[in-house]
Amino acid sequence: DAGVIQSPRHEVTEMGQEVTLRCKPISGHNSLFWYRQTMMRGLELLIYFNNNVPIDDSGMPEDRFSAKMPNASFSTLKIQPSEPRDSAVYFCASKLTGYEQYFGPGTRLTVT
Amino acid sequence: GEDVEQSLFLSVREGDSSVINCTYTDSSSTYLYWYKQEPGAGLQLLTYIFSNMDMKQDQRLTVLLNKKDKHLSLRIADTQTGDSAIYFCAEGGSGGGADGLTFGKGTHLIIQP
């Protein structure tokens, strides 16, 4: 199994631009999570889906952030417009029943 | 709200035992976890413990849980250079495991030769 796949691995963009992060969960997994990691705030849960339905988006910082899961094998996290304080590593994780979340390698976002 | 606290750094000599400590606030947590993150990589689950247990051992890893004090620890026996990483404590809610995790900020384990 290829594990959780995230793209791009690195993204550098200018303030005000739209950024789209992508995630392909492990095949067969029915829950998907988006996390953000920064030095100051550590690892924060942004949103999670169960069976493609958003369950809890209370961690999404602002309306500039949106996430979708159109099918069981794909999810996106979009930031529009991006700001320098959005610079972070964004992780996607997926799981099936049971309690182990499998993390992707992350997308390092830099907004200048 | 939920909160997970852990020390930021721990330095140990190679071959010694490492003990990483964590405190949490959500008494309804069903599972508690230890994840490992190596540089430039995602998080990898090391081990977890169910909230009605007080100890779990898995090879060089020993997890101790004091539910009364909401204190969790991870002991790594015979610490090796390959153990150098950031270790995250996390708690899972009572939602049957389908919800997200609350993580501590991570403890950087530094191995001295």
Side-chain angles (χ1 to χ4, degrees), chain B residues 43-107:
Chain B
L43 277 69
Q44 175 191 7
L45 180 66
L46 275 181
T47 187
Y48 64 89
I49 188 168
F50 189 51
S51 59
N52 70 353
M53 297 170 64
D54 52 18
M55 187 180 92
K56 181 178 180 181
Q57 187 149 5
D58 183 3
Q59 299 181 343
R60 291 192 297 124
L61 305 179
T62 303
V63 178
L64 295 178
L65 174 61
N66 182 329
K67 194 171 181 182
K68 174 177 169 289
D69 295 337
K70 300 192 184 71
H71 182 268
L72 184 73
S73 68
L74 173 69
R75 178 177 181 269
I76 305 172
D78 187 24
T79 308
Q80 303 298 308
T81 55
D83 296 324
S84 181
I86 305 175
Y87 291 81
F88 290 90
C89 173
E91 61 176 352
S94 54
D99 50 356
L101 301 177
T102 301
F103 287 85
K105 285 192 168 55
T107 299

Side-chain angles (χ1 to χ4, degrees), chain A residues 31-35 45 47-48 91-95 101, chain B residues 98-100:
Chain A
S31 296
L32 183 141
F33 306 82
W34 282 101
Y35 291 90
L45 175 67
I47 185 171
Y48 74 92
F91 288 104
C92 176
S94 72
K95 66 182 289 293
Q101 292 187 22
Chain B
D99 50 356

Side-chain angles (χ1 to χ4, degrees), chain A residues 3-25:
Chain A
V4 175
I5 299 172
Q6 292 187 246
S7 64
R9 293 293 311 276
H10 302 272
E11 176 80 34
V12 180
T13 190
E14 292 184 347
M15 182 173 65
Q17 296 298 306
E18 177 180 295
V19 174
T20 299
L21 310 181
R22 296 174 176 80
C23 175
K24 177 176 166 53

Side-chain angles (χ1 to χ4, degrees), chain A residues 2-111:
Chain A
V4 175
I5 299 172
Q6 292 187 246
S7 64
R9 293 293 311 276
H10 302 272
E11 176 80 34
V12 180
T13 190
E14 292 184 347
M15 182 173 65
Q17 296 298 306
E18 177 180 295
V19 174
T20 299
L21 310 181
R22 296 174 176 80
C23 175
K24 177 176 166 53
I26 292 173
S27 178
H29 282 192
N30 59 358
S31 296
L32 183 141
F33 306 82
W34 282 101
Y35 291 90
R36 177 172 69 175
Q37 185 178 34
T38 61
M39 288 292 292
M40 290 297 294
R41 300 174 69 88
L43 202 63
E44 303 171 280
L45 175 67
L46 300 177
I47 185 171
Y48 74 92
F49 297 82
N50 199 35
N51 294 320
N52 312 339
V53 176
I55 302 300
D56 184 358
D57 65 354
S58 60
M60 296 285 261
E62 299 171 32
D63 291 345
R64 297 183 298 107
F65 286 69
S66 63
K68 293 183 180 178
M69 192 165 185
N71 57 62
S73 58
F74 184 65
S75 177
T76 59
L77 178 68
K78 186 176 293 186
I79 308 172
Q80 166 63 20
S82 58
E83 296 183 3
R85 60 195 169 116
D86 302 330
S87 298
V89 180
Y90 290 81
F91 288 104
C92 176
S94 72
K95 66 182 289 293
L96 187 53
T97 52
Y99 300 94
E100 179 171 0
Q101 292 187 22
Y102 292 82
F103 280 74
T107 295
R108 182 174 295 277
L109 173 65
T110 303
V111 183

